[in-house]
């Protein structure tokens, strides 16, 4: 069977993406070919070179225009040399700027005079070109090309002179636009580059069109020229990125000042604009070039409208995002009463705050993107109409999100119920039961999380059209193989669960199991960690536990076995033990650890070295050992005071002696005779 079933959202999505990528690729290639038809330009140039008529026009225009413009440039150069002393005098005569209107008014005649001196060489160029043009008797095509080039050059020179009047890079005394010398020089330098590229491209395109070049080649030259100008402007934007960002960025807050509410939103917007303004400007330059290159109908009007709507949509989306996040912070931080009723709710809700904020921001961003695409003419809203792939995809994602939301609700309800149960047990002093529940909690949480995760993932894959039957079959085979190979692990887990459910032990208990004893430090899903008296750690799997001896459950007894000599009065010994028990229990240190008076059972047995008397003291679960040690210490001291003898072990030494000689029996001697 196929991995993705046909006629599902996943199959339709893959097919739609494939078709869309192909369509977009074709449109991009067609647009690039339309915007810069370089092959057509090359073919047009080849045609102009090979055509005899075009060759005659080119030769006539070439030598006549070179001669004509050579004379014009010579006249302009001579007049520039003539007016240079006047320029220097005006620069020196300009008063220093002191910020008063009178100083600015005194500079106006000097600035106007400087502008007139800059325009005189341009006038000389025009008189030379127009005066000599008629004497050369050019062809009509040459006349049109020459006049076009002369008009273009003179207009550019006039615009450049006006720019020099405003910036005056050689003298800051005549500068109308206040700026540093370096900025004025850089502005004039970049203006010269832009005008050189723009006028060169425009002149070449117009001249080629007059000489017979096709319109496609004309458009290609203009498009390439505007592309180079856009790249130069983008370079200027990148060079001034930090300077403009410094101006746009919000001023630092004063010490102790705090921005909140609308002011915080505006400061954040300024800081973000300072970080991305260069990207916005470069994208706008690219959009302008694309509109021009594609010759879109009402393109610049639509570009301006789209820009304004883009700013409005992005601003509203950002404001809405901030408002929702602010409201979310208020909702997800419960008050004292809610925190008391649902302990741990604040900590658990805090885990979902970053995820929820990211999800809300992503949804708002997606909605803003759809609206932006609709604004720029992509008809994005029609992608989600009834019966479309977008609508099916939204329905599927909504279904998956609803499943995930239900799973999270179930997960949190279960955790909340467990937490409330633990709090109630701790408040009601059910320490042992609370410890057991805390021990079972990780296991139950792991099992619940695994089941929910598998369900959500399989449901999501099924909604997207993925065939989950092979996955389930494979999981079943793998599960059977793991089951056969991990029987001991399964036995560990099952035995551990039953031992915990039966409340056999909990963390902190002192137990004896599997021939080992110690304090239970940790209970995992398959083993027990014991800390022995000498600090050793024993890891005991649950499958190795057959008997559990819990020595700290509910209460304990400190058992005392005291041996006294046969010569002592046992009633006197019992009275001494009861006095010691009453004395210890009356002390503040030992009173919380002892639950009842000492219980003296009496004579336990008659041993070889003395009389054994047994007693016991009821204590707290983990206090039997310190209580027994304290009793033994005081019993020895009290018996020494009272003169009660505690017998010591008496070693028995056997000495073997040789037999003594005996006197002979007289009867035996006589009989022998």
């Amino acid at each position: 069977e196929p991995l993705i079933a046909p006629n599902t959202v996943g199959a339709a999505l893959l097919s739609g993406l494939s078709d869309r990528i192909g369509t977009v690729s074709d449109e991009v290639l067609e647009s690039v070919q339309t915007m810069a038809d370089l092959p057509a330009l090359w073919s047009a140039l080849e045609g102009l070179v090979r055509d005899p008529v075009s060759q005659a026009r080119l030769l006539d225009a070439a030598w006549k225009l070179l001669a004509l413009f050579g004379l014009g440039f010579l006249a302009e150069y001579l007049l520039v040399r003539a007016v240079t002393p006047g320029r220097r005098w005006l620069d020196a005569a300009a008063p220093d700027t002191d910020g008063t209107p009178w100083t600015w008014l005194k500079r106006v005649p000097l600035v106007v005079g400087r502008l007139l001196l800059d325009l005189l060489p341009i006038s000389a160029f025009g008189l030379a070109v127009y005066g000599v043009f008629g004497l050369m008797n050019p062809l009509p095509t040459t006349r049109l090309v020459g006049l076009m080039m002369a008009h273009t050059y003179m207009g550019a020179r006039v615009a450049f002179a006006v720019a020099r009047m405003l910036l005056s890079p050689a003298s800051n005394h005549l500068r109308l636009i206040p700026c540093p010398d370096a900025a004025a020089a850089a502005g004039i330098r970049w203006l010269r580059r832009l005008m050189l590229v723009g006028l060169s491209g425009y002149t070449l395109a117009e001249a080629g069109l007059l000489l017979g070049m096709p319109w496609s080649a004309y458009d290609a030259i203009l498009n390439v020229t505007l592309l180079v100008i856009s790249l130069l402007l983008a370079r200027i934007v990148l060079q001034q990125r930090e300077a403009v960002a410094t101006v746009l960025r919000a001023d630092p807050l004063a010490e102790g000042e705090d921005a909140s509410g609308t002011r915080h939103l505006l400061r954040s917007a300024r800081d973000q604009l300072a970080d991305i303004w260069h990207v916005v400007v470069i994208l706008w330059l690219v959009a302008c070039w694309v509109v021009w290159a594609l010759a879109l109908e009402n393109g610049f009007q639509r570009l301006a409208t789209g820009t304004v709507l883009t700013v409005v949509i992005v601003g509203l989306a950002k404001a809405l995002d901030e408002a929702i996040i602010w409201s979310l912070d208020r909702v997800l931080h419960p008050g004292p009463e809610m925190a008391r009723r649902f302990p741990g709710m604040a900590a658990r809700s805090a885990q979902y705050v970053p995820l929820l904020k990211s999800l809300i921001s992503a949804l708002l961003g997606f909605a803003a993107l759809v609206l932006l695409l609709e604004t720029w003419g992509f008809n994005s809203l029609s992608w989600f109409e009834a019966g479309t792939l977008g609508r099916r995809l939204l329905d599927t994602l909504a279904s998956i999100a609803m499943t995930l939301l239900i799973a999270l609700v179930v997960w949190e309800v279960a955790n909340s119920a467990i937490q409330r149960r633990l709090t109630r047990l701790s408040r009601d002093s059910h320490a042992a039961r609370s410890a057991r529940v805390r021990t079972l909690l990780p296991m139950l949480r792991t099992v619940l999380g695994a089941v929910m995760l598998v369900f959500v993932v399989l449901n999501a894959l099924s909604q997207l059209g993925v065939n989950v039957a092979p996955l389930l079959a494979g999981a079943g085979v793998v599960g059977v193989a793991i089951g056969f190979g991990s029987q001991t692990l399964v036995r560990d887990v099952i035995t551990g669960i039953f031992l915990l459910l039966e409340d056999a032990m909990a963390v902190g208990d002192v137990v004896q199991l599997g021939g080992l004893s110690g304090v239970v430090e940790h209970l995992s899903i398959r083993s027990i960690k014991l800390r022995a008296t000498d600090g050793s750690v024993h890891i005991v799997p649950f499958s190795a536990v057959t008997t559990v001896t819990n020595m700290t459950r509910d209460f304990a007894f400190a058992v005392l076995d005291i041996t006294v000599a046969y010569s002592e009065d046992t009633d006197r010994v019992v009275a001494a033990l009861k006095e010691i028990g009453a004395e210890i229990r009356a002390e503040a240190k030992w009173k919380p650890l002892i639950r009842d008076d000492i219980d003296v059972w009496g004579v336990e047995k008659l041993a070889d070295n003395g009389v054994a008397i047994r007693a016991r003291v009821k204590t707290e679960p983990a206090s039997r050992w310190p209580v027994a040690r304290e009793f033994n210490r005081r019993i020895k001291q009290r018996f020494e005071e009272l003169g009660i003898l505690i017998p010591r072990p008496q070693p028995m030494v056997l000495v073997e002696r040789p037999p003594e000689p005996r006197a002979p029996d007289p009867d035996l001697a006589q009989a022998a005779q």
Side-chain angles (χ1 to χ4, degrees), residues 82-96:
V83 300
T84 298
R87 289 178 177 177
R88 294 176 180 174
W89 180 83
L90 290 175
D91 292 341
D96 294 334

Side-chain angles (χ1 to χ4, degrees), residues 208-219:
L209 187 63
L210 293 174
L211 293 174
M213 188 172 60
W215 281 99
S216 59
Y218 174 84
D219 294 336

Side-chain angles (χ1 to χ4, degrees), residues 66-360:
L66 285 176
L68 184 66
F69 279 88
L71 292 175
F73 290 145
L74 179 61
E76 181 181 4
Y77 173 74
L78 294 176
L79 198 55
V80 167
R81 294 290 300 271
V83 300
T84 298
R87 289 178 177 177
R88 294 176 180 174
W89 180 83
L90 290 175
D91 292 341
D96 294 334
T97 303
D98 57 1
T100 61
W102 174 245
T103 304
W104 191 86
L105 290 176
K106 287 193 299 183
R107 287 192 303 162
V108 171
L110 302 177
V111 171
V112 174
R114 174 64 184 269
L115 177 62
L116 293 176
L117 291 180
D118 288 339
L119 294 178
L120 285 177
I122 303 174
S123 302
F125 173 85
L127 292 175
V129 171
Y130 293 141
V132 182
F133 210 171
L135 301 177
M136 290 187 175
N137 193 21
L139 294 175
T141 304
T142 304
R143 179 182 295 276
L144 293 175
V145 173
L147 291 176
M148 182 270 301
M149 294 177 65
H151 294 162
T152 303
Y153 176 77
M154 293 176 63
R157 292 286 291 141
V158 170
F160 194 74
V162 174
R164 289 182 63 87
M165 176 190 69
L166 297 175
L167 294 175
S168 183
S171 173
N172 58 357
H173 302 297
L174 299 178
R175 190 173 301 154
L176 298 181
I177 299 178
C179 62
D181 294 341
I188 292 297
R189 184 169 60 252
W190 277 105
L191 180 62
R192 183 184 293 112
R193 294 175 183 175
L194 294 174
M195 293 181 66
L196 178 62
V197 174
L199 294 176
S200 299
Y202 173 76
T203 303
L204 180 60
E206 291 291 339
L209 187 63
L210 293 174
L211 293 174
M213 188 172 60
W215 281 99
S216 59
Y218 174 84
D219 294 336
I221 294 175
L222 290 183
N223 292 340
V224 172
T225 302
L226 290 176
L227 178 60
V228 175
I229 292 176
S230 300
L231 294 177
L232 292 176
L233 292 175
R235 183 179 177 185
I236 295 174
V237 170
L238 292 177
Q239 286 183 348
Q240 302 299 320
R241 170 185 174 183
E242 293 298 332
V244 178
T246 303
V247 176
L248 294 177
R249 192 169 285 112
D251 297 331
L253 294 172
E255 185 177 357
E257 187 179 6
D258 186 18
S260 59
T262 306
R263 186 183 180 190
H264 174 72
L265 182 62
L266 293 177
R267 289 178 59 86
S268 177
R270 288 187 60 181
D271 292 339
Q272 292 182 0
L273 180 61
D275 294 334
I276 65 170
W277 76 270
H278 59 286
V279 178
V280 175
V281 173
I282 291 175
L283 290 177
W284 199 82
L285 291 174
V286 173
C288 290
W289 179 76
V290 171
V291 168
W292 171 271
L294 293 179
L296 299 177
E297 185 178 358
N298 299 325
F300 288 102
Q301 179 181 356
R302 293 167 60 184
L303 178 61
T305 305
T307 302
V308 174
L309 292 178
T310 298
V311 173
V312 173
I313 291 173
V314 172
L316 290 178
K318 181 62 178 176
L320 187 60
D321 185 28
E322 292 289 340
I324 292 177
I325 289 177
W326 178 81
S327 303
L328 194 63
D329 289 334
R330 296 289 298 273
V331 172
L332 293 180
H333 288 80
E337 180 63 22
M338 188 68 68
R340 186 186 63 82
R341 292 182 57 189
F342 300 95
M345 180 179 178
R348 290 196 302 273
S349 60
Q351 298 176 358
Y352 296 101
V353 169
L355 177 62
L356 195 55
K357 289 182 178 179
S358 301
L359 182 60
I360 291 174

Side-chain angles (χ1 to χ4, degrees), residues 539-668:
I539 308 297
V540 182
F542 278 116
S543 59
V545 178
T546 57
T547 303
V548 177
T549 302
N550 195 326
M551 293 179 280
T552 55
R553 179 57 52 87
D554 297 334
F555 59 88
F557 286 100
V559 179
L560 307 172
D561 286 325
I562 303 97
T563 303
V564 296
Y566 276 100
S567 60
E568 298 295 338
D569 185 2
T570 57
D571 294 338
R572 182 184 177 205
V573 173
V574 170
L577 292 177
K578 290 182 178 181
E579 291 177 0
I580 294 173
E583 177 184 342
I584 293 178
R585 194 180 181 193
E587 295 181 3
K589 177 181 178 181
W590 301 101
K591 184 177 181 180
L593 305 182
I594 301 175
R595 293 189 176 186
D596 202 352
D597 295 334
I598 186 172
D599 182 15
V600 182
W601 289 4
V603 177
E604 179 70 14
K605 64 179 178 178
L606 301 176
D608 295 336
N609 60 341
V611 180
I613 300 175
R614 173 164 292 185
R616 69 176 186 177
V617 181
K618 190 174 184 180
T619 66
E620 293 296 323
S623 302
R624 66 167 75 178
W625 298 283
V627 170
R629 285 190 288 270
E630 183 65 17
F631 263 91
N632 289 330
R633 184 180 71 85
R634 298 201 184 194
I635 288 172
K636 180 179 182 301
Q637 294 178 352
R638 182 62 59 84
F639 281 13
E640 289 178 352
E641 294 175 359
L642 298 177
I644 298 175
L645 180 62
I646 300 176
R648 298 178 181 178
Q650 299 294 330
M652 181 179 293
V653 180
L654 299 179
V655 179
E656 187 174 352
R657 297 179 180 179
E660 295 180 358
R662 293 183 298 174
D665 190 356
D667 296 334
L668 292 176

